[in-house]
Amino acid sequence: MSKLISLKQAISEYVNDGDVVYAAGFTHLIPFAAGHEIIRQGKKNLTLARATPDLIYDQMVAAGCAKKVIFSYMGNPGVGSLRIVRAALEKGELEWEEYSHFGMITRLQAGAAGLPFLPMNQTGATSLEQSNPLIKRIPDPYGGKDVIVVPALNPDVAIVHVQRADKNGNAHLWGIIGEQKEAAFAAQKVILTAEEIVDESVIRSDPNRTMIPANIVDAVCHVPYASHPSYSQGYYDRDNEFYLAWDKISESQESVKAYLDEWVYGVEDRAAYWEKLGAKTHDRLKVEAQYSEKINYGKY
């Protein structure tokens, strides 16, 4: 049965106030379109989890969607701080949990495996243990040095953007791979947004590239350009100019409100957003085709 629905419908049906939402993607394939739709629908009291919050969570916190953030690294990549999230944390307006990158991924791996926690080697980030009581040390039962343990993370909803998927939710992604697979397997519900919807035969032609299988997916949404200002390998480049611009926009509540009013509330969907960006931006973000070599899977 086809799981293909609009992003608007997917967010309405699968994201509820108070949910733990994991928007996956490491610098690449970040699901900005879904974040904007959550803002437009006025979802509240969300716990926003991400290994690298990026601008998507700055915007969602600015819009009043979040009560808590769970993260590892936090920042405007290559530019500086996430001004809005940082200010909310410093004012005590936002709850938070911080982990190392590996700690966050280990939490998702535990959740995906159905385990209550998983161990990891000690790190140099002992200050994280002091600030986060959920990071614990326990004795190695085999007599070695103590190990760090972190609790499982099972988001209510994982949102994953991919390059292509079939209508059932089998999904291909390539380029920089982040925590998409772990987040999807750990979550209770999975929303996929995809640059392209392709026939199942295309997915079957390269099964090793199927990072997300249909049996764990609840909704598939055809949303081209869903990761701008992030990028989708092979489709469009990262919009570095916007990352620099956001640093200035986020300096004042007035400019942030003006941005949200124009670029989130003021457009109906991602198609309207992309059109509004204009031909000059489209041309700037174009990428040249560069194909990998063919693989012969053989016939049997």
Side-chain angles (χ1 to χ4, degrees), residues 103-120:
M104 180 68 98
I105 305 309
T106 300
R107 292 198 65 194
L108 290 172
Q109 288 175 327
L115 296 169
F117 63 87
L118 272 177
M120 47 188 280

Side-chain angles (χ1 to χ4, degrees), residues 149-297:
V149 293
V150 290
L153 177 59
N154 291 103
D156 294 295
V157 186
I159 303 171
V160 180
H161 185 57
V162 301
Q163 279 103 330
R164 62 191 182 201
D166 65 25
K167 64 184 180 180
N168 300 312
N170 297 297
H172 281 177
L173 59 154
W174 59 89
I176 293 178
I177 304 300
E179 76 285 46
Q180 291 98 329
K181 180 178 72 174
E182 291 82 2
F185 275 92
Q188 305 300 317
K189 302 290 183 182
V190 176
I191 298 172
L192 281 186
T193 59
E195 294 290 332
E196 291 185 86
I197 302 299
V198 298
D199 190 81
E200 184 180 292
S201 62
V202 175
I203 302 297
R204 287 182 176 273
S205 73
D206 195 356
N208 286 359
R209 206 178 297 280
T210 308
M211 301 287 290
I212 312 293
N215 64 298
I216 64 169
V217 173
D218 296 277
V220 182
C221 310
H222 184 208
V223 193
Y225 311 109
S227 61
H228 178 271
S230 173
Y231 69 103
S232 292
Q233 189 80 39
Y235 292 78
Y236 46 92
D237 204 354
R238 186 178 190 268
D239 194 345
N240 293 317
E241 289 188 12
F242 182 81
Y243 280 84
L244 290 167
W246 182 255
D247 188 53
K248 297 298 182 183
I249 292 168
S250 61
E251 286 181 347
S252 74
Q253 293 181 350
E254 293 76 18
S255 56
V256 170
K257 182 180 184 302
Y259 173 82
L260 293 176
D261 285 345
E262 180 177 1
W263 291 95
V264 182
Y265 300 115
V267 295
E268 182 178 359
D269 53 22
R270 182 51 44 148
Y273 169 94
W274 184 254
E275 183 178 357
K276 183 177 173 65
L277 281 173
K280 186 176 180 180
T281 299
H282 300 172
D283 290 341
R284 177 165 55 82
L285 299 180
K286 280 183 179 178
V287 293
E288 295 182 7
Q290 182 174 322
Y291 292 97
S292 64
E293 291 296 323
K294 291 180 180 179
I295 296 173
N296 182 3
Y297 280 105

Side-chain angles (χ1 to χ4, degrees), residues 32-55:
F32 274 91
H36 286 185
E37 186 58 37
I38 287 171
I39 293 172
R40 274 193 291 272
Q41 294 191 21
K43 303 294 184 179
K44 301 293 183 185
N45 297 317
L46 301 176
T47 295
L48 302 178
R50 251 184 78 77
T52 52
D54 202 85
L55 309 190

